[in-house]
Structures are given as C-alpha cells and as structure tokens.
Amino acid sequence: MKAEPSWRKPAGIFAILVLIAVWAAAVASLAGVVGRWPIWLQSIFYIFAGIIWIFPLKPLLRWMETGRFH
C-alpha cells in the first residue's frame, strides 16, 4: 500500500472535468446545425455524442492508476 497519494489522481480528475467541459461545448456549438436536422437524426446524434466521450476515459483512468496509458 502506498503511503503517499499519487499526484496523477487529482490531475486525472481535472483532465476528466476539462474533457467533459470541452466536449459539452463542442456538442452545444453544433446545436444550430443539428437543430435543422429531422428529429430522428438529432436523436441519433445526441445519443452518439452522449456516449462517445467515454472512450478516452479508459486510457486516462489506467494512467491515473498505473502511470501508463497502455
């Protein structure tokens, strides 16, 4: 067991919060364009956009825990 907490965990949490904020801003900036699409296509876009941001988290969480991205 480690006696001292790693700096990677707070840095990783900060990176996750930044990732979420940047992703939300990017998706929100497309609202004008996406709003003109048919509702079924908007639904698919927002479902996809709501799920896809999770994929970069796996390597980030691994780095937070082990110090390696792979």
Side-chain angles (χ1 to χ4, degrees):
M1 200 116 2
K2 293 183 182 182
E4 224 174 279
S6 170
W7 64 270
R8 289 188 311 266
K9 293 205 181 192
I13 291 169
F14 179 74
I16 290 170
L17 293 174
V18 169
L19 172 70
I20 292 170
V22 169
W23 187 255
V27 171
S29 71
L30 296 173
V33 175
V34 175
R36 290 185 288 246
W37 296 354
I39 192 73
W40 64 271
L41 192 54
Q42 289 181 43
S43 299
I44 292 170
F45 172 79
Y46 285 118
I47 289 170
F48 179 75
I51 293 172
I52 197 72
W53 70 272
I54 296 170
F55 291 107
L57 290 182
K58 185 173 183 180
L60 181 59
L61 291 171
R62 188 178 303 121
W63 172 79
M64 287 170 61
E65 193 63 34
T66 65
R68 295 176 299 176
F69 282 105
H70 51 79

